[in-house]
Amino acid sequence: MNRFLLALALVLFSVAGFTQRTAFSPKEDSLFIRKIADEILVNGKAYAQLTVLTKTIGARLSGSLAYCRAEIWGQQALRDAGAGKIYLQPCMVPHWVRGGVDSATLTTLENGNQLKMRSLNILSLGNSLGTGPSGIHAQVMMVRSFEELRKRSAEAKGKIVFYNYPFDARPVETFNVYRDAVRYRVQGAAEAARYGAIAMLMRSVTNASDNNPHTGMMIYNDSFPKIPASALGLRDADLLAGTLEGSGRPAQMSVYIRTLAQMLPDTIAHNVIGEIRGSLYPDQVITVGGHLDSWDPAEGAQDDGAGCVQSIEVLRVLNALGYKPRHSIRVVLFANEENGLRGAKKYADEIKAKNEKVLFALESDAGGFTPRCFSFTLRPDRLARLRPWIRLLQPYGIYEFTGNGGGADVAPLADQGATVGELVPDSQRYFDYHHSRSDILENVSKRELELGAVNMAALIYLVDKYGF
Amino acid sequence: MNRFLLALALVLFSVAGFTQRTAFSPKEDSLFIRKIADEILVNGKAYAQLTVLTKTIGARLSGSLAYCRAEIWGQQALRDAGAGKIYLQPCMVPHWVRGGVDSATLTTLENGNQLKMRSLNILSLGNSLGTGPSGIHAQVMMVRSFEELRKRSAEAKGKIVFYNYPFDARPVETFNVYRDAVRYRVQGAAEAARYGAIAMLMRSVTNASDNNPHTGMMIYNDSFPKIPASALGLRDADLLAGTLEGSGRPAQMSVYIRTLAQMLPDTIAHNVIGEIRGSLYPDQVITVGGHLDSWDPAEGAQDDGAGCVQSIEVLRVLNALGYKPRHSIRVVLFANEENGLRGAKKYADEIKAKNEKVLFALESDAGGFTPRCFSFTLRPDRLARLRPWIRLLQPYGIYEFTGNGGGADVAPLADQGATVGELVPDSQRYFDYHHSRSDILENVSKRELELGAVNMAALIYLVDKYGF
């Protein structure tokens, strides 16, 4: 070969190397995805694995014994699924403990001098300090919003500020409502403390028909005192609001709150990771995961036991069908999503430190509900190129791809430039259970959970085969 | 006006009368449908009405006292919703009664002469005769299918035939699986009796993770004896199958069945109807409905309390928004869908007798789950013309129209040539609850129920405005 031809060949080869794409073969893909679905719907292990995680381990807050047991469970589940390499990735996590049973009492002195006491259903917010064993007893100042608090800030001193901010029923996508209302949970205590309040109560971030309070992470502002913060069940929030506002307004009313939460020193936890090595591009990684930790009132079945077992099922089904992925497929059960995101940060840091290429990272952390959509961090033009895939997934429930980004655990990867995405299941029931005592296995549908896994596995297969 | 011009005007007028269509104004429609959604999601009455129907009335089998109470409830609910005219349409219905608690026992004589008795969780099928108080005790012949029964028909005489036909997990649309498997429930007893069997047991038509048996209608063949027929919960079906087939096959095994069901003489029941009179075409009727009767093991919450309260909500929301329908909108709570369809037949007969024109009849009887689709009895070309409506409904969950027809209660109208359709919600959880003791309010999501009603009301509005 003369030098010209050699040079030409090299140019052609390298161009081919960059632009070569596997030809789209929807018929073959449709058949393989049907196999994925049959295997998961008939022989699926996700529900059985979730049963173990929820019923023998249960709630698994960062730093707890149960979280440690969940790490062992995760390794075993990944082994059962056929992961070739299983390892732990250590990281330091916040260690918040509830410390006991939260309680609150509403005391009213009716006009006829009749003293009435009613217990209120509360849960301390996560990361909040407790009142301590003697509790806090004070008058309540109800506000509808931060704006109202600011306007009436002179009244807050020495009081319990009660945010009665409603969960808007109108938007169909409940996560949009959550993102708005959750500000009161995250910043509410700090804002109340700014004006001298001594405790914070809030209407739970939910529209559930029951009275279960919903916990979740809050953040203090170091410039102000760290006051105890708790969420009220909706019926009790309405009771409290009605007592404050109603026509039978009592001569005096006060609330007693007793919570025992503490923030202990950071402790160790691990991301639990299992992978199948890629046959062509072992150094390019497709990540799929959910978070292994949960809040403490229930079993973390939907949040996010579902995402964990679905992610493990993706690996299991590809393995069971003898599929040899071109890229390495790595299941990550993230530590500490709920009150710190330390696992996600650790994972992204390690990716960066090892200079690994992440082809795609898919998260499932919106519940094991019936699948409807995948969301990506892709610009519209690149997203449009994926449209032919939707027809392949539509028989299994997915009918839409959006560019609305990924979830919290893959966000640090997106910040590093990786393409990330998340499963978007139907969102109607999620906030009924989220962070409350009703997040239990009984509120997970086996079929809905499995169909989520079917679509996740199908998407991973398509990404592995075609890239973006 | 001369005669020529008069004739021309008449021709033009009559042509206009036949072909004039309201111009499609998606912006206006989108705003109005948003109003429908806001009203239902914020002030909706469907869930509260369903709570009364399920918790104060409960199961309401045709001919029962509870069905009578449900008729009263229905009239009141329609009155509350603003129906201008409320009336009952009488029809004679089958009057089947369970008569007591169904029970069954599996007895095995193990090789070591050890007698073991285990109770089996059964429910008599609807319309089946019972064994009577002394019960039936016989050996069991298990078959997987009618084909196997025919091949081994010589073995059936004097036995209990047990159909262990599985509910196929693979198809995503569970109603397709039901339509196949339900043959064993409907015809299984008659086919077993043909070959001399003295009772029939069957694997319940479900894939639920629990052990609840699922009842439902069966039909005898008058040429053969009327043998008692019951359904087994899935775990007990597996237990029975395992005992018959397993390695630890006992020396002897038999099953004792005791059911007390009876078919009493036909009795009276009523369709409960409420309507708003059309402002332009009062003689043209848009029907929307579900069935008021239910099976007896639970509360008939999904089947079909949901469809009833959604239909009533359609009328309520249009009324609450001050919408004046062009056509009469008539909510029908059908009698006796479950074991006779007599209400549906009566309603269609009355339509025919009064020569009323049915512009459209919409049914909701697939549960109050998150909405996905509407199905119509429309040919593809006419269906294609409705496609622009899908974009109006997509924000509320509907993303597809199909030509797969309507449900059971509107089928007699379709037979008369009317266009009918049904709400097709997500089908993954329906057969977990269907006709079993888990069909209770707690398994209905308020939001999912409401979104079904939103889409039904929006569709009725579009049909009323534009026709087909």
Side-chain angles (χ1 to χ4, degrees):
Chain A
M1 201 183 290
N2 70 25
R3 289 176 73 181
F4 172 74
L5 280 179
L6 179 65
L8 183 67
L10 281 173
V11 166
L12 285 174
F13 182 81
S14 65
V15 167
F18 281 109
T19 64
Q20 127 194 331
R21 300 180 73 87
T22 308
F24 185 47
S25 44
K27 200 171 168 183
E28 181 186 290
D29 297 335
S30 162
L31 289 171
F32 190 73
I33 293 171
R34 183 69 255 177
K35 279 187 193 167
I36 288 175
D38 287 353
E39 172 60 25
I40 291 179
L41 294 172
V42 176
N43 303 316
K45 299 290 178 284
Y47 190 78
Q49 291 286 18
L50 186 61
T51 303
V52 177
L53 180 62
T54 53
K55 296 302 178 190
T56 73
I57 297 173
R60 46 199 178 277
L61 196 51
S62 290
S64 67
L65 171 58
Y67 185 81
C68 182
R69 287 188 177 133
E71 291 181 357
I72 294 167
W73 167 89
Q75 291 172 83
Q76 186 59 48
L78 286 162
R79 200 168 293 122
D80 294 346
K85 184 179 165 193
I86 295 161
Y87 54 103
L88 298 177
Q89 209 167 48
C91 59
M92 296 305 285
V93 296
H95 189 189
W96 180 81
V97 294
R98 189 168 297 280
V101 176
D102 304 319
S103 63
T105 309
L106 165 65
T107 304
T108 52
L109 188 65
E110 309 285 348
N111 290 332
N113 263 1
Q114 203 185 353
L115 195 71
K116 275 196 184 172
M117 296 181 76
R118 277 179 277 207
S119 73
L120 299 173
N121 205 340
I122 67 160
L123 271 181
S124 172
L125 298 185
N127 292 3
S128 168
L129 300 185
T131 62
S134 41
I136 282 179
H137 192 188
Q139 285 191 291
V140 176
M141 174 194 181
M142 177 170 76
V143 295
R144 302 274 172 189
S145 64
F146 286 137
E147 293 65 39
E148 184 180 346
L149 175 65
R150 249 163 257 141
K151 277 186 199 151
R152 295 174 49 205
S153 58
E155 300 169 46
K157 197 173 161 65
K159 297 224 178 88
I160 298 167
V161 164
F162 164 39
Y163 295 100
N164 194 23
Y165 188 79
F167 193 90
D168 192 349
R170 292 167 299 178
V172 173
E173 288 305 324
T174 60
F175 278 85
N176 296 340
V177 183
Y178 177 73
R179 273 185 279 271
D180 169 58
V182 79
R183 290 177 294 145
Y184 291 86
R185 196 190 74 206
V186 176
Q187 307 154 30
E191 289 305 300
R194 178 192 298 268
Y195 303 117
I198 58 169
M200 175 274 225
L201 280 177
M202 65 175 295
R203 183 182 189 85
S204 285
V205 186
T206 181
N207 243 340
S209 303
D210 57 38
N211 193 35
N212 293 333
H214 294 235
T215 189
M217 192 197 59
M218 56 81 67
I219 299 175
Y220 286 120
N221 180 330
D222 288 337
S223 309
F224 308 112
K226 296 184 174 181
I227 64 173
S230 303
L232 276 164
L234 294 204
R235 288 186 203 166
D236 284 352
D238 287 339
L239 170 73
L240 185 55
T243 307
L244 284 158
E245 284 195 324
S247 55
R249 202 160 175 170
Q252 284 180 42
M253 66 156 290
S254 58
V255 166
Y256 172 74
I257 302 171
R258 184 173 187 270
T259 57
L260 304 166
Q262 289 180 69
M263 186 60 92
L264 304 178
D266 280 7
T267 184
I268 200 164
H270 303 84
N271 294 328
V272 180
I273 301 179
E275 60 185 57
I276 312 179
R277 196 174 153 81
S279 59
L280 285 179
Y281 315 108
D283 299 335
Q284 295 185 26
V285 179
I286 298 175
T287 295
V288 53
H291 65 85
L292 189 54
D293 64 316
S294 81
W295 282 108
D296 58 328
E299 300 167 357
Q302 294 284 11
D303 184 15
D304 182 28
C308 290
V309 299
Q310 286 175 324
S311 299
I312 296 168
E313 186 72 352
V314 168
L315 190 146
R316 188 196 70 79
V317 70
L318 295 177
N319 212 45
L321 296 176
Y323 180 76
K324 301 289 173 216
R326 292 154 172 79
H327 309 82
S328 292
I329 294 182
R330 183 183 293 165
V331 177
V332 183
L333 311 180
F334 291 96
N336 185 231
E337 191 271 347
E338 292 294 6
N339 59 336
L341 281 173
R342 301 279 182 86
K345 285 171 198 156
K346 173 68 180 179
Y347 181 67
D349 287 349
E350 288 291 314
I351 290 280
K352 199 173 184 180
K354 292 178 189 155
N355 202 19
E356 288 180 319
K357 178 168 162 41
V358 175
L359 176 62
F360 181 47
L362 175 66
E363 178 171 348
S364 169
D365 185 18
F369 301 98
T370 211
R372 300 199 78 135
C373 169
F374 279 116
S375 167
F376 300 87
T377 51
L378 286 173
R379 291 192 319 263
D381 56 324
R382 296 191 64 200
L383 200 59
R385 293 214 315 249
L386 304 186
R387 214 165 280 154
W389 295 2
I390 299 178
R391 296 189 72 175
L392 293 167
L393 303 182
Q394 195 150 359
Y396 311 98
I398 293 282
Y399 61 92
E400 196 178 11
F401 285 176
T402 70
N404 297 333
D409 276 320
V410 294
L413 296 172
D415 291 344
Q416 294 177 12
T419 298
V420 308
E422 64 174 336
L423 174 68
V424 183
D426 196 274
S427 71
Q428 300 313 312
R429 281 136 59 214
Y430 189 72
F431 292 101
D432 289 354
Y433 311 137
H434 181 249
H435 300 180
S436 84
R437 67 175 67 101
S438 64
D439 188 6
I440 55 176
L441 181 72
E442 289 75 1
N443 288 327
V444 177
S445 153
K446 178 171 180 285
R447 290 276 299 186
E448 294 185 349
L449 179 78
E450 288 171 349
L451 281 176
V454 167
N455 284 284
M456 288 167 68
L459 179 66
I460 295 296
Y461 157 80
L462 291 168
V463 170
D464 180 56
K465 188 169 171 190
Y466 301 116
F468 284 113
Chain B
M1 197 185 289
N2 71 25
R3 288 176 73 179
F4 172 74
L5 280 179
L6 179 66
L8 182 68
L10 280 174
V11 166
L12 286 174
F13 182 80
S14 66
V15 168
F18 280 107
T19 63
Q20 124 194 334
R21 298 180 73 87
T22 307
F24 185 49
S25 44
K27 199 168 169 186
E28 180 186 291
D29 297 335
S30 162
L31 289 172
F32 190 73
I33 293 172
R34 182 70 255 175
K35 278 186 192 167
I36 288 174
D38 287 352
E39 172 60 27
I40 291 179
L41 294 172
V42 176
N43 302 316
K45 298 290 179 285
Y47 190 78
Q49 291 287 16
L50 187 61
T51 303
V52 177
L53 180 62
T54 53
K55 297 303 179 191
T56 72
I57 298 173
R60 46 198 179 276
L61 195 53
S62 289
S64 66
L65 170 60
Y67 185 80
C68 182
R69 286 188 180 135
E71 291 181 357
I72 294 168
W73 167 89
Q75 292 172 81
Q76 186 59 48
L78 285 162
R79 200 168 293 124
D80 293 347
K85 186 180 165 191
I86 295 161
Y87 54 104
L88 299 177
Q89 210 167 48
C91 58
M92 296 305 285
V93 296
H95 188 187
W96 179 82
V97 293
R98 187 168 298 279
V101 176
D102 304 319
S103 63
T105 310
L106 165 65
T107 304
T108 52
L109 188 65
E110 309 285 347
N111 290 332
N113 262 3
Q114 204 187 353
L115 196 70
K116 275 197 184 171
M117 298 180 75
R118 276 179 278 205
S119 73
L120 299 173
N121 205 339
I122 67 160
L123 270 182
S124 173
L125 298 185
N127 293 2
S128 168
L129 299 185
T131 62
S134 40
I136 281 177
H137 191 188
Q139 287 192 290
V140 175
M141 172 193 183
M142 178 170 73
V143 295
R144 301 272 173 193
S145 64
F146 286 137
E147 293 65 40
E148 184 179 346
L149 175 65
R150 250 163 256 142
K151 278 187 197 149
R152 295 173 51 204
S153 58
E155 300 170 45
K157 197 172 159 64
K159 297 224 179 89
I160 297 167
V161 164
F162 165 39
Y163 295 100
N164 194 21
Y165 188 79
F167 194 91
D168 192 350
R170 292 167 298 176
V172 173
E173 287 303 325
T174 60
F175 278 86
N176 296 340
V177 183
Y178 177 72
R179 273 185 279 270
D180 169 57
V182 79
R183 291 176 294 145
Y184 291 87
R185 197 190 74 205
V186 177
Q187 308 153 31
E191 290 304 300
R194 178 193 297 271
Y195 303 117
I198 58 169
M200 175 273 225
L201 280 176
M202 66 175 294
R203 184 183 188 83
S204 286
V205 186
T206 181
N207 244 340
S209 303
D210 57 38
N211 193 35
N212 293 333
H214 294 234
T215 189
M217 194 198 56
M218 56 82 68
I219 299 176
Y220 286 120
N221 178 331
D222 288 338
S223 308
F224 308 111
K226 295 183 174 179
I227 65 172
S230 302
L232 276 164
L234 295 204
R235 288 187 202 165
D236 284 352
D238 287 340
L239 171 72
L240 185 56
T243 307
L244 284 158
E245 284 195 326
S247 55
R249 201 161 175 167
Q252 285 178 43
M253 68 155 287
S254 57
V255 165
Y256 173 73
I257 301 171
R258 185 174 187 271
T259 57
L260 303 166
Q262 290 180 67
M263 186 61 91
L264 304 177
D266 281 7
T267 184
I268 200 164
H270 303 84
N271 294 327
V272 180
I273 301 178
E275 59 186 58
I276 313 180
R277 196 174 154 80
S279 59
L280 285 178
Y281 315 107
D283 299 335
Q284 296 186 25
V285 178
I286 298 174
T287 294
V288 54
H291 65 84
L292 189 54
D293 65 315
S294 82
W295 282 110
D296 58 328
E299 300 167 357
Q302 294 283 12
D303 185 14
D304 182 28
C308 289
V309 298
Q310 286 174 324
S311 299
I312 296 167
E313 187 72 351
V314 169
L315 190 146
R316 189 196 69 78
V317 70
L318 295 178
N319 212 44
L321 296 177
Y323 180 74
K324 301 292 173 212
R326 293 154 172 78
H327 309 83
S328 291
I329 294 182
R330 184 184 291 166
V331 177
V332 183
L333 311 179
F334 291 95
N336 186 231
E337 192 270 348
E338 292 294 5
N339 60 337
L341 280 173
R342 302 280 183 85
K345 285 171 197 156
K346 174 68 181 180
Y347 181 66
D349 287 349
E350 288 289 315
I351 291 280
K352 198 174 184 180
K354 293 179 187 155
N355 202 21
E356 288 180 319
K357 178 167 163 42
V358 175
L359 177 63
F360 181 47
L362 175 66
E363 179 171 344
S364 169
D365 186 18
F369 301 99
T370 210
R372 301 198 79 133
C373 170
F374 279 116
S375 167
F376 301 88
T377 52
L378 286 173
R379 292 193 317 264
D381 55 324
R382 297 191 63 200
L383 200 59
R385 292 214 316 248
L386 304 187
R387 213 166 281 155
W389 295 1
I390 299 178
R391 297 188 72 174
L392 293 167
L393 302 182
Q394 195 150 0
Y396 311 98
I398 293 282
Y399 61 92
E400 197 180 10
F401 285 177
T402 71
N404 297 333
D409 276 320
V410 295
L413 296 173
D415 292 343
Q416 294 176 13
T419 298
V420 308
E422 64 173 338
L423 174 68
V424 182
D426 196 275
S427 72
Q428 299 313 312
R429 281 137 60 215
Y430 190 72
F431 292 102
D432 289 354
Y433 311 137
H434 180 249
H435 300 181
S436 84
R437 67 175 66 101
S438 64
D439 188 5
I440 55 176
L441 181 72
E442 289 74 2
N443 288 326
V444 176
S445 152
K446 179 171 181 283
R447 289 277 297 185
E448 294 185 351
L449 179 77
E450 288 171 347
L451 282 175
V454 167
N455 284 283
M456 289 168 67
L459 180 65
I460 296 295
Y461 157 79
L462 291 167
V463 171
D464 180 56
K465 187 169 173 191
Y466 300 115
F468 284 113

